[in-house]
Amino acid sequence: MEKEIKRISFSALKNWKECPYRHKLIYVDKIPHFEGNEYTAFGTAIHAACEKGIPNPSQNALKVFQDAFGKEIDILKESGRELNTSLIEQMRTQAVPICEQVLPAVTNHFGSFEVVSVEEELLEDISEFDSYGTKFKGFIDMVIKTQDGKYHVIDWKTCSWGWGRDKKSDPLVNYQLTYYKNYFSKKHRIEPSLVETYFVLLKRTAKVENVEIFRTTSGRKKTENSLKVLQNAVINIEKANYIKNRLNCRYCKFHKTEHCT
C-alpha cells in the first residue's frame, strides 16, 4: 500500500492556528466539519466563470456561472439540504455585474497578459526547515504573465460588499498568497522578485465596482515570518500537540458536541 504523503494546506494551517484541537478533529480524526450552502455554491460558480471566461474571452462568463450554479444547487438539493430560494434568485442577479466586470477589470489593471495556468496545484517540499517530510499543498486560482516578464498570482475571493482595512492587512489572510508565491517560485525556479500576488474581490452586494483587485506584497521579511508560522504548525502537528483554544469556541461547529465539550 502506497504511503500517504504528509501535507499541509493553507486552510489546514488556518484551522490549526485558530484551534489545534479542531485541526485534529478535521484532519486526523476525519470528522465531517462542513456542508455546502448557497454561498459556497455561488463561490464555486463564480470561480468557474472567471477561470473559463478570462482565458477565453469569447466564452459567455454569465452562462458559465449559471450552468455551474445550477449544478451546485442541484447537488445541495440532492443532499437534502434546506435552501433559501429567495437568496438563490438574488445570487443569480448578483452574479451579472461580476461576470460583466471581471475581464475588463483584469485587463485594465494588468494590460496585455497571457494566462499561464488555472487551478495550478502546488505540492512542494517544505525545505526551509525540518518539516518531517511534509509538503505544502495548494491550488492557485490563476497565474498570468504580463509583457514585462512578471508573473501575477491571483486568488479569487467572493464576498458580500468587500473587505475592510483590518482584513486586508491581516497577516494570516495575506500569508496565503505569501506561501503561494514562495512555492510557485520554487516549483518553477522563478526569481521571487518576478512574482506578484493579488486578491481579487468579487462582490455580490456592492453598488459599484463589483470587482476589486488589490496587491499584497511578500518580501523577504514577510516570507520569513510566514514560514515561522508554518514551522510552528508543522512541528506541533508532528508531535500531536493539539491544545484546545477556548477563545475560538463560539463559532466552532464542534463546540458542545460529543467531539468537544
Side-chain angles (χ1 to χ4, degrees):
M1 183 177 179
E2 188 175 348
K3 186 178 179 181
E4 184 178 355
I5 298 173
K6 289 196 290 187
R7 64 194 73 188
I8 186 169
S9 64
F10 175 74
S11 59
L13 171 66
K14 185 172 182 289
N15 260 296
W16 179 86
K17 185 75 173 164
E18 292 172 350
C19 180
Y21 190 74
R22 185 171 72 203
H23 178 280
K24 171 186 177 293
L25 294 176
I26 296 172
Y27 296 97
V28 179
D29 299 339
K30 308 292 186 183
I31 297 173
H33 66 290
F34 181 75
E35 297 174 354
N37 55 33
E38 296 90 339
Y39 298 97
T40 57
F42 182 88
T44 298
I46 281 290
H47 271 64
C50 295
E51 291 167 1
K52 293 183 179 179
I54 291 178
N56 304 291
S58 61
Q59 282 261 16
N60 185 326
L62 182 58
K63 185 178 186 307
V64 173
F65 167 84
Q66 291 169 337
D67 292 344
F69 190 55
K71 290 177 182 177
E72 293 297 317
I73 294 299
D74 286 343
I75 292 171
L76 292 176
K77 289 178 179 177
E78 290 169 5
S79 71
R81 186 172 182 86
E82 187 174 340
L83 300 177
N84 184 331
T85 55
S86 176
L87 176 60
I88 290 171
E89 291 311 308
Q90 289 175 27
M91 287 178 165
R92 294 187 191 279
T93 301
Q94 291 164 350
V96 175
I98 297 175
C99 292
E100 290 176 345
Q101 294 174 28
V102 65
L103 179 57
V106 171
T107 301
N108 290 340
H109 189 96
F110 294 103
S112 180
F113 65 87
E114 62 174 295
V115 175
V116 175
S117 62
V118 172
E119 279 291 311
E120 177 172 348
E121 182 176 12
L122 298 175
L123 188 60
E124 306 306 310
D125 292 330
I126 300 175
S127 57
E128 295 86 356
F129 52 85
D130 183 3
S131 66
Y132 308 96
T134 303
K135 294 177 180 287
F136 181 83
K137 179 180 176 61
F139 286 92
I140 301 176
D141 287 341
M142 183 172 287
V143 180
I144 64 174
K145 186 178 182 181
T146 46
Q147 291 185 323
D148 57 4
K150 289 190 175 181
Y151 296 83
H152 306 273
V153 170
I154 293 173
D155 192 77
W156 313 111
K157 295 293 187 188
T158 54
C159 54
S160 54
W161 59 271
W163 286 1
R165 183 182 301 176
D166 288 347
K167 185 163 185 178
K168 285 183 176 180
S169 61
D170 185 310
L172 188 59
V173 171
N174 280 262
Y175 284 168
Q176 178 181 5
L177 288 181
T178 305
Y179 297 130
Y180 285 0
K181 172 180 175 176
N182 183 53
Y183 291 108
F184 174 81
S185 300
K186 290 180 182 297
K187 176 182 178 180
H188 296 286
R189 295 181 174 83
I190 297 172
E191 168 58 43
S193 63
L194 294 177
V195 181
E196 297 181 352
T197 53
Y198 300 80
F199 286 115
V200 179
L201 304 185
L202 308 170
K203 309 174 189 178
R204 291 188 300 105
T205 63
K207 301 301 181 184
V208 293
E209 194 186 25
N210 296 85
V211 178
E212 178 187 352
I213 301 172
F214 73 92
R215 183 185 173 194
T216 67
T217 57
S218 298
R220 183 175 60 84
K221 186 62 178 176
K222 187 174 181 181
T223 301
E224 289 175 357
N225 289 340
S226 73
L227 290 171
K228 287 178 183 177
V229 174
L230 183 62
Q231 181 178 22
N232 192 24
V234 168
I235 290 174
N236 281 281
I237 291 168
E238 180 68 22
K239 295 181 177 180
N241 292 333
Y242 294 116
I243 300 170
K244 293 180 181 180
N245 181 1
R246 295 295 186 183
L247 297 176
N248 281 331
C249 288
R250 184 177 179 185
Y251 298 107
C252 180
K253 179 179 178 180
F254 300 118
H255 184 45
K256 293 185 178 179
T257 69
E258 70 272 21
H259 306 297
C260 185
T261 56

